[in-house]
Every structure is written in C-alpha cells, then in structure tokens.
Amino acid sequence: GSIMKPITMAAGLDAGVITPQTTYTDTGCITVNTARICNWDLKARGVTPMKQIIVQSLNLGAAWIATELGQEKFRNYFIKLFGQKTGIDLSSENGALLGNLSKTQQINYDTMAYGQGISVTPIPMIRALGALANGGSMVQPHLVSAIRLNSGIERKLDWSEVTPVFGANVARETAEMMTAVVDEKLEGGKAKIPTMSVAAKTGTAQLTNGQGGYYTDRYFHSFVGFFPSYSPRFIILLYTKDPQNVTYASDTLGSTFLDLTHFLIDYYVIPPDRGFATTTPS
C-alpha cells in the first residue's frame, strides 16, 4: 500500500530526477500499457508539488516519479531495499515478491511505486522505511543481543551494521513531507502535537482476488510513523488484513498509532522538539 510512497519519493530525490520544489500535472487518471490507474478518489489536482504526493497520497504522483526515475534506477533502489532477506535472527524468513521488476511494461513500475504489485513482509518494510528515520541508512535488524550456542559459547550480535541507501538530506526532506501528513492531514490536522514532530504515512492496498486482479471491497491496511521526526527514538508499523466496513487505513489504524505515540512520549519522557505556544495576557 501507500506506505511505499515515501520510499519512491526518496528514490526520486536521491537520484536527482526531482527536488522538493518539483511539480507535475495531476489528471486524476492515466492509462499505462492499456491499464488505467487513478488516484484514490479519481480526482485531478492539476499542477501539484511533490509534498502533496505524500500528504494527499496521490497514486499518479508516485507513478510519475517512477517514470521519471526510469526502470533501471527504480529497479536498483528496490532491489537494494528489498532484494535480500534482512538476516534477522529468526528462522524461516521469507523474501519479498519482486517479480514485476523483471518485466518491461511500465505499468508494473508505476503500480509498485504506490505499493501494488509488490509483496513485502513487515520486517524488511519497516527496515526500509527506517532508513528515512536513520539518515538514509538501513540497519541490521535483531530481536536479541546475543546467541548462546549449545556448546555454551555466546556470540554477540553486531548492531552497528548499516546499509546506506539514501543521502541524509534526502531522508530529512522525505521526513518533512511525512511530518506534514500528521500536521495537516491526519484527523483533519487535529492529530498534530504542538511540542513534538511526528512523521507518518497511511497505506490502503486492494487485496488480490487470486485470479490476477484485485477485490474492489477488500483491503490491506498499513500505517507507519516515527518520532521525533528529525531525531527519532521510535518507529511503529501497524497493519491489518481485510478490516470490515471500512475502506481507509487512517480510519482503522490512525487512532491506535496516535495512542501509542502519546504513550511512548510520556513513558520515556521524550523531550519536546518544538517550541511551546505562548500567549500574551490581555
């Protein structure tokens, strides 16, 4: 789903094919290789800046970036991010389904840019998105600090290993766009925390029907966020499959994410990274 859009945005920025000031013309729907793809609400936005691709979750914007990148650059970023298993200390880790990267039709790249036609498990997904919170580098994920062998030997795990993917400025620019999601869009802007920057993105993907297409009324919802936006302490990834009687992830997972965020801020006494609003007595 659309939690992939920040990855696409960062790839475009890192490759130099766009800047935060770049605009594109959003027509609401386009046809690519005889297939029709549209924004979630089918509406055109006209001349649109990059930030709004993330804030309004515009499929056409993500597809436009994929086209600007070109298939080779797009493929290189996605293989670096998802092409190998993470090596987390758990058995039976599955790899991502990236078969569409070997095809030549542009529709496969355009749809992958906004999170359709690709399948990634939560650990590599949060690892890739974590690069945006970690100055552009992916970390080596672990669940434990050491492994004790049957022989009694204890092997410490290396938590310092990182894989650079994006430039640090690119990571910050993308985090700024994700912060605008919370400040301006989530719960109509009411989710904004005056004293804490929070970066987030929602994702709503249609479930596959097993026959080469997608259900029109069944979804996979996801939600990612990290905070403070520019010096993160926590990153959270939530998801739910086939929620009933609701279409968008912001309605199923938004309040849970915000509850967790406020709890962690209070429990760990995370200091504010924004100034307090002040008023002058009359």
Side-chain angles (χ1 to χ4, degrees), residues 124-170:
M125 191 70 223
I126 198 171
R127 179 178 181 242
L129 288 161
L132 304 177
N134 197 41
S137 294
M138 294 191 299
V139 300
Q140 171 62 46
H142 291 295
L143 289 178
V144 297
S145 59
I147 296 175
R148 183 174 295 122
L149 305 178
N150 291 334
S151 62
I153 296 175
E154 187 171 275
R155 179 167 62 88
K156 298 289 185 182
L157 297 180
D158 182 9
W159 288 71
S160 64
E161 182 182 347
V162 297
T163 302
V165 183
F166 308 118
N169 287 340
V170 165

Side-chain angles (χ1 to χ4, degrees), residues 29-235:
C29 292
I30 58 174
T31 300
V32 182
N33 300 128
T34 73
R36 186 172 171 83
I37 58 176
C38 299
N39 289 329
W40 60 273
D41 58 359
L42 309 181
K43 294 181 180 179
R45 266 68 175 185
V47 177
T48 306
M50 294 296 98
K51 170 183 167 183
Q52 293 304 315
I53 296 174
I54 302 299
V55 173
Q56 298 188 51
S57 199
L58 301 177
N59 292 344
L60 291 200
W64 183 83
I65 294 173
T67 301
E68 292 298 297
L69 270 168
Q71 294 182 8
E72 182 178 359
K73 289 181 181 177
F74 186 99
R75 185 184 303 112
N76 289 342
Y77 278 105
F78 273 62
I79 287 177
K80 191 168 188 179
L81 288 158
F82 305 114
Q84 303 292 328
K85 295 179 181 180
T86 68
I88 192 171
D89 34 289
L90 279 173
S91 61
S92 305
E93 180 183 5
N94 290 321
L97 300 181
L98 303 174
N100 282 346
L101 288 176
S102 63
K103 299 177 181 178
T104 58
Q105 294 88 349
Q106 185 60 34
I107 185 64
N108 295 297
Y109 298 84
D110 285 3
T111 53
M112 289 179 75
Y114 58 82
Q116 296 275 171
I118 181 173
S119 183
V120 181
T121 58
I123 292 297
M125 191 70 223
I126 198 171
R127 179 178 181 242
L129 288 161
L132 304 177
N134 197 41
S137 294
M138 294 191 299
V139 300
Q140 171 62 46
H142 291 295
L143 289 178
V144 297
S145 59
I147 296 175
R148 183 174 295 122
L149 305 178
N150 291 334
S151 62
I153 296 175
E154 187 171 275
R155 179 167 62 88
K156 298 289 185 182
L157 297 180
D158 182 9
W159 288 71
S160 64
E161 182 182 347
V162 297
T163 302
V165 183
F166 308 118
N169 287 340
V170 165
R172 184 179 180 88
E173 289 166 349
T174 309
E176 288 176 356
M177 298 180 192
M178 295 173 69
T179 301
V181 172
V182 178
D183 289 351
E184 303 172 16
K185 193 71 174 179
L186 194 61
E187 296 188 352
K190 295 179 181 179
K192 179 179 179 179
I193 302 176
T195 57
M196 181 72 65
S197 62
V198 179
K201 185 69 188 78
T202 61
T204 301
Q206 293 172 294
L207 289 174
T208 57
N209 60 16
Q211 300 175 357
Y214 295 95
Y215 290 107
T216 58
D217 59 351
R218 297 180 64 187
Y219 305 96
F220 184 91
H221 288 181
S222 53
F223 197 113
V224 68
F226 51 85
F227 57 92
S229 297
Y230 311 112
S231 184
R233 292 281 303 278
F234 293 96
I235 184 168

